[in-house]
Amino acid sequence: PEATELYIDFTLLGGVTTERLHYTFVKRPSNSLRVIWLSDLGSFERYTFPFVRSVTEHSTTKPLELYSAELIPQCPSTEYQIELSSAYEARKMRMALSEISHRSVVWVESPEGELIAAKVEPTSSELFDAERLRPIKIKLLVSPENYSKLWN
């Protein structure tokens, strides 16, 4: 994929570079989703999940809460459950990604750069076992109107 590189040099008054940070910004590949969440330290983190494992439409009907018990209309609700899988990641990255499972809401970036709120569904992932590379999976719930914005 296309990438843009950015270098930031930290220099002292004498012109000596003390540190250089290197960032690579990669365009989001097709059939992937970029998830943004607020980290435990208060910073916004991003990770592009390269694999969409499944998309399932969930429809539920819940009774409306009314003051009268005589008539209880039903309120239909539809959401899309999106199961994402990371690349094979080392333990340190899996630990960072584990913060997603502790959030009730994260944001998913549309191809146009719009941030779309998504609820996180609890999943059981093997985040902390062994030092070997391993993917993690997360499940997000998105409303139908927001789901249509995620893919062109």
Side-chain angles (χ1 to χ4, degrees):
E2 283 182 36
T4 303
E5 295 193 37
L6 172 68
Y7 294 92
I8 301 174
D9 292 334
F10 294 93
T11 56
L12 299 174
L13 285 175
V16 177
T17 300
T18 59
E19 187 173 352
R20 174 177 254 198
L21 297 178
H22 174 239
Y23 292 95
T24 303
F25 299 92
V26 179
K27 189 175 181 176
R28 187 184 108 179
S30 63
N31 199 29
S32 67
L33 285 180
R34 186 167 289 155
V35 176
I36 296 102
W37 70 97
L38 188 61
S39 76
D40 290 338
L41 298 175
S43 63
F44 286 99
E45 301 295 332
R46 294 172 178 247
Y47 181 85
T48 301
F49 284 84
F51 307 107
V52 176
R53 296 179 54 83
S54 67
V55 176
T56 310
E57 184 176 344
H58 288 276
S59 296
T60 57
T61 304
K62 298 177 185 176
L64 290 175
E65 293 181 23
L66 299 175
Y67 294 106
S68 169
E70 295 174 17
L71 182 63
I72 304 177
Q74 302 293 305
C75 178
S77 172
T78 301
E79 291 180 306
Y80 285 91
Q81 180 188 71
I82 304 168
E83 185 179 357
L84 303 173
S85 180
S86 73
Y88 281 81
E89 299 288 2
R91 184 173 192 258
K92 191 174 183 179
M93 177 56 84
R94 290 194 316 267
M95 289 181 69
L97 292 174
S98 73
E99 291 184 342
I100 295 172
S101 64
H102 303 296
R103 304 291 175 259
S104 57
V105 175
V106 296
W107 298 270
V108 180
E109 187 176 349
S110 76
E112 289 77 31
E114 180 182 354
L115 297 183
I116 296 165
K119 293 185 277 185
V120 179
E121 274 232 326
T123 58
S124 58
S125 256
E126 301 170 18
L127 296 172
F128 303 107
D129 68 336
E131 287 296 320
R132 62 190 166 133
L133 299 176
R134 140 174 274 133
I136 68 159
K137 298 175 189 109
I138 66 165
K139 292 180 182 177
L140 304 177
L141 294 174
V142 179
S143 68
E145 53 275 1
N146 284 336
Y147 176 78
S148 65
K149 298 175 186 177
L150 294 178
W151 286 276
N152 291 341

